[in-house]
Amino acid sequence: MAVTGTSDTDTVQVRPKGFRLLMTALQTRKSATMLAFGFSSGLPFALLIGTLNAWLGEVKINLATIGVLSWIGLSYAFKFLWSPLVDRFELPLLNRIGRRKSWIVLCQAIMVGAFVGLAATDPVTNIGTFAIFAVIAALASATQDVAVDAWRIDVSDVETPVELLSAIYQFGYRIASIVGGALALVLAARVSWPLVYLIMAGLIVLMIFVAFRAPDTERPAKGILYQALAEPGAIDPRTRGIALTIVGISWVWAIFSIGRFMTSMLETLPPGAVRPSASDFMKTTGPWIVVATVVVPLIVSATMNWLKSHDRHVLKSADPTHTPGRTAMNHLYVALVAPLAELCARLRWGVLIVIGLILTYTLCYNVWASFAFPFYLDFLHYSKDEVAFASKVFGIFMTIIGISLGGYLFARLGRLPTVMIGAILPILGNFVYADLAEGGAHIDFVANLFGLNALAGMLGSDARMVRLLLAISGENIATGIAGAAFVAYLSGIVSKNYTAVQYALLSSLTFLIGSLGRGIAGEAFDSMGYAVVFRYTAAVGLLAVLFVALEWVRTARTGSSRQLTVPPAAEEPGTP
C-alpha cells in the first residue's frame, strides 16, 4: 500500500478570502467588541455635535451661544495633542484591567457623569455650567477615540484583520448615529430632554461592561525604549530637549489661540461691537495652527533623523544618568517626537505623499458637509420631515451599505484598489449634487429609466422626493466606501510601537483641513452658487486620486504596502 506523505505546507490552514473572510471575522470576540466600541465612540459625537443643538434651539438659546458650543468639536481635531498621554501613561488602579481598556473605561465613566450633569442642568438659567459639562463630555469622547483607534490596530490578527475591524467599527459608529440622532429626537418629542440624555448615559454604562470583558495587548517595556536613548548613537539629551521645546511651544501656541478665540466668542460684547467670525479665524489663523501642530513637529522629527544618520549631536558612549528630569524628558521624547521620527524614517520622502493623501482624501465631500441642511431646506425648499427621513434615516442606511461594500472590497481587492475607489466615487457624488442644485434633470432621467418615479407615485410620494433620495443614496454609499477605506488605510500606515499618537495625529488632519475649507466654501456658495461649488469640490477630489496613485506607485516600488503596520498574520488579501 502506498503511503501518501504530507509536507508542512500541506497542513497549513488556508486563510479564507473575500466574503468567507468577512464572515469569519464577524464571528470573533474581537469583532463583537469592536462593534460595541464603535457604538461607544459614535453615540457621544452624535449627542454633542448635532442633537445637543436641537435641545438648545428648542429652549430658545440664541444662535451665537449655540455656535460657540459647537466648537467643542475641536476636541476631536486636536486629540492628537494628548494622544501621547493615552499611549504611554499608566492609569493608577485601572491599568490592571488592560493597556487600552483602562483608558476606554475611564473615558466612558467620565462621559456618563457629564451626560448626567447635562441632564441635571437647565441651559436657560445655567448655560455656563451646561457648557462645562458639554466640554468635559467632548474631551472624554475624543480621548476614548484615541484609545479605541489604538486598540483596533493592536488586536488585529489573521482572523480579524485591521481592515475588517475598521469596517465593523464604522458599523457601530453609524448605528450610534441613528440612536443619538434620529432616535434621540423621537424620544425628545415624547419625554423631556434631560430624560433623553439620562437614557443615553445608560447606554454608555452598558458599553463599560463590554469594555471590561474586551481582550487587550501588553504594554511595551519602557526600559527597552529608554535604554535605546542612552546607548551610543542616540541623540544627546540636550538636543532632545531643544526638539521637545520647539514642539511644545508650537502646540501650546495652537491651544492658546483656539482657547482665546472661544473665550472672545463667549464674552459679553459692548454696544456696537461685532462678534468675531469663525470663518475669518479659520482662514487667517487656521493654517498656522496646522503648521504649528503638524508641520513643525514633522520637521523637528526629520531633523532628529538627519542628525542621527550623520552622527551629529549623538552620544559617543552610553549615558548612565537616571534622574527624574531625565526620565520625564525621555518619556516625552518617546511619546511625542520618536513616533513622528519613526514615521519619517520609515516612509522617508514618501511621508509627503502620505500627508498629501490624508489632507486631500476627504475634502471632496467634507468641505460642504456643514452646508447640507441649508442646501436641502433653504435652497431646495424641502420640508424638515422630508430632510429628516432622507438624511438621518434613509441616508444612514445607505452609508452602512457603503461601509459594507468598503469592507468587502478590502477583503476582495486589497487596500490600495479600495482606497482608489473611495477617492473616485465621491467626485461622482458631487456631480450628482450639482445636477440636483440645477433641477435634477439627469437624476430624473435615471429615476424614469428604472421606473422609480412611477413606484414613488404608487407609494404616495413624488419625483421630487425620489430626486433627493437618489442623490443622498449615491453620495452616502460613496462616502461610506471612502470612509471605510480611509480609516483602514490610516490604521495600516501607523506603527504598532506608536499606535495612538500616529493614528490620532494623522486622522485629525482631515478635520482641521475640512474646517479651513468650510470657511472658504461658505463664501463661495453665496457668490457662485451651489452647483458651481459642487463642481469645484469635485475637482479638488482629483488631487486625492493623484495622491492615491502616487502612493500606489511608491508602495509598488518599495514593496512596502504594509510597512511596519499590521503583522504578517493580519495582512489583507490582494494587497499589491
Side-chain angles (χ1 to χ4, degrees):
M1 180 182 296
V3 177
T4 304
T6 58
S7 65
D8 291 341
T9 56
D10 293 331
T11 61
V12 174
Q13 183 179 3
V14 178
R15 181 185 169 193
K17 295 183 179 181
F19 186 73
R20 289 176 57 198
L21 177 60
L22 177 61
M23 295 305 296
T24 300
L26 290 175
Q27 295 172 5
T28 67
R29 176 186 172 194
K30 292 177 182 178
S31 296
T33 303
M34 188 77 269
L35 185 68
F37 282 170
F39 183 88
S40 184
S41 291
L43 186 61
F45 186 88
L47 292 171
L48 294 169
I49 304 304
T51 306
L52 192 68
N53 293 342
W55 180 358
L56 296 174
E58 184 176 297
V59 296
K60 309 302 181 184
I61 299 297
N62 64 71
L63 293 177
T65 303
I66 294 176
V68 171
L69 287 178
S70 71
W71 282 81
I72 63 176
L74 286 173
S75 300
Y76 298 92
F78 283 93
K79 61 188 179 183
F80 66 87
L81 295 177
W82 58 87
S83 61
L85 181 68
V86 179
D87 200 32
R88 296 294 172 187
F89 184 72
E90 298 182 18
L91 293 171
L93 300 178
L94 277 177
N95 190 62
R96 300 176 183 176
I97 68 174
R99 178 189 183 192
R100 306 300 184 189
K101 289 163 55 178
S102 58
W103 279 97
I104 293 172
V105 168
L106 175 64
C107 293
Q108 289 172 336
I110 292 174
M111 285 189 290
V112 170
F115 284 135
V116 171
L118 288 172
T121 306
D122 184 354
V124 176
T125 58
N126 294 288
I127 189 62
T129 303
F130 192 88
I132 290 174
F133 282 124
V135 169
I136 292 172
L139 289 172
S141 175
T143 305
Q144 177 193 228
D145 288 352
V146 174
V148 168
D149 291 335
W151 181 90
R152 179 179 66 248
I153 298 170
D154 285 348
V155 303
S156 61
D157 55 24
V158 65
E159 292 186 344
T160 50
V162 67
E163 290 82 12
L164 291 180
L165 285 176
S166 299
I168 293 168
Y169 171 85
Q170 292 289 327
F171 268 118
Y173 200 97
R174 297 301 175 180
I175 292 171
S177 297
I178 296 175
V179 173
L183 179 59
L185 291 175
V186 170
L187 290 174
R190 292 158 175 80
V191 299
S192 66
W193 277 109
L195 182 55
V196 170
Y197 273 74
L198 286 176
I199 293 172
M200 298 299 157
L203 294 178
I204 298 178
V205 170
L206 295 178
M207 297 303 102
I208 294 178
F209 288 105
V210 173
F212 268 109
R213 295 183 54 82
D216 211 331
T217 56
E218 295 294 329
R219 184 181 299 275
K222 290 182 179 179
I224 297 176
L225 293 172
Y226 295 165
Q227 182 180 354
L229 297 178
E231 293 177 349
I235 299 295
D236 64 63
R238 180 175 179 273
T239 305
R240 294 203 304 269
I242 294 173
L244 284 172
T245 300
I246 295 173
V247 172
I249 290 174
S250 297
W251 285 2
V252 168
W253 174 84
I255 296 173
F256 175 77
S257 297
I258 293 175
R260 182 177 58 182
F261 173 78
M262 293 184 70
T263 301
S264 67
M265 289 286 288
L266 290 168
E267 289 177 344
T268 302
L269 296 178
V274 178
R275 194 169 296 279
S277 167
S279 175
D280 290 342
F281 172 80
M282 295 304 295
K283 286 190 291 186
T284 57
T285 309
W288 292 109
I289 291 175
V290 175
V291 170
T293 58
V294 179
V295 178
V296 169
L298 281 174
I299 292 175
V300 170
S301 300
T303 302
M304 295 299 102
N305 289 340
W306 186 89
L307 291 175
K308 191 172 182 178
S309 64
H310 288 76
D311 201 31
R312 298 185 181 182
H313 298 282
V314 298
L315 294 173
K316 303 302 181 182
S317 59
D319 182 8
T321 306
H322 295 287
T323 64
R326 177 64 59 81
T327 300
M329 186 181 73
N330 286 346
H331 179 84
L332 290 173
Y333 188 86
V334 168
L336 300 179
V337 178
L340 295 176
E342 187 278 335
L343 190 69
C344 292
R346 172 160 48 92
L347 301 180
R348 303 181 67 82
W349 288 106
V351 73
L352 299 179
I353 296 176
V354 171
I355 295 298
L357 190 158
I358 292 169
L359 292 178
T360 59
Y361 195 78
T362 64
L363 271 181
C364 182
Y365 52 93
N366 272 349
V367 74
W368 70 270
S370 295
F371 307 99
F373 283 162
F375 175 61
Y376 298 143
L377 297 170
D378 301 331
F379 184 78
L380 297 178
H381 303 294
Y382 285 96
S383 70
K384 291 181 181 178
D385 288 343
E386 290 171 332
V387 173
F389 170 76
S391 64
K392 292 297 184 181
V393 180
F394 179 81
I396 287 179
F397 280 109
M398 291 300 103
T399 302
I400 291 176
I401 291 175
I403 294 169
S404 303
L405 290 174
Y408 175 78
L409 289 173
F410 259 106
R412 175 62 66 179
L413 302 179
R415 177 176 300 159
L416 286 176
T418 307
V419 172
M420 178 63 80
I421 292 172
I424 294 173
L425 290 181
I427 296 176
L428 303 179
N430 272 28
F431 282 115
V432 171
Y433 268 83
D435 181 56
L436 183 64
E438 293 176 330
H442 295 90
I443 299 175
D444 286 344
F445 174 80
V446 173
N448 289 324
L449 181 65
F450 290 96
L452 297 179
N453 285 337
L455 178 62
M458 295 172 58
L459 297 176
S461 187
D462 56 20
R464 187 167 169 273
M465 191 63 183
V466 171
R467 205 176 296 150
L468 179 64
L469 292 176
L470 281 178
I472 287 179
S473 63
E475 170 76 2
N476 286 20
I477 290 174
T479 55
I481 293 173
F486 189 63
V487 168
Y489 173 77
L490 288 186
S491 300
I493 205 68
V494 301
S495 166
K496 283 201 171 186
N497 291 328
Y498 307 104
T499 304
V501 64
Q502 282 186 354
Y503 186 92
L505 187 151
L506 295 177
S507 62
S508 296
L509 286 179
T510 59
F511 191 98
L512 287 172
I513 299 302
S515 297
L516 292 172
R518 287 166 193 164
I520 301 172
E523 297 176 357
F525 281 132
D526 286 335
S527 60
M528 295 185 292
Y530 281 97
V532 175
V533 177
F534 282 136
R535 293 192 177 97
Y536 274 123
T537 53
V540 172
L542 294 175
L543 292 175
V545 174
L546 174 61
F547 277 112
V548 174
L550 292 174
E551 174 70 353
W552 203 332
V553 172
R554 181 188 72 83
T555 56
R557 286 183 175 180
T558 61
S560 55
S561 60
R562 290 177 294 104
Q563 43 200 347
L564 297 184
T565 57
V566 186
E571 181 181 359
E572 71 280 9
T575 300

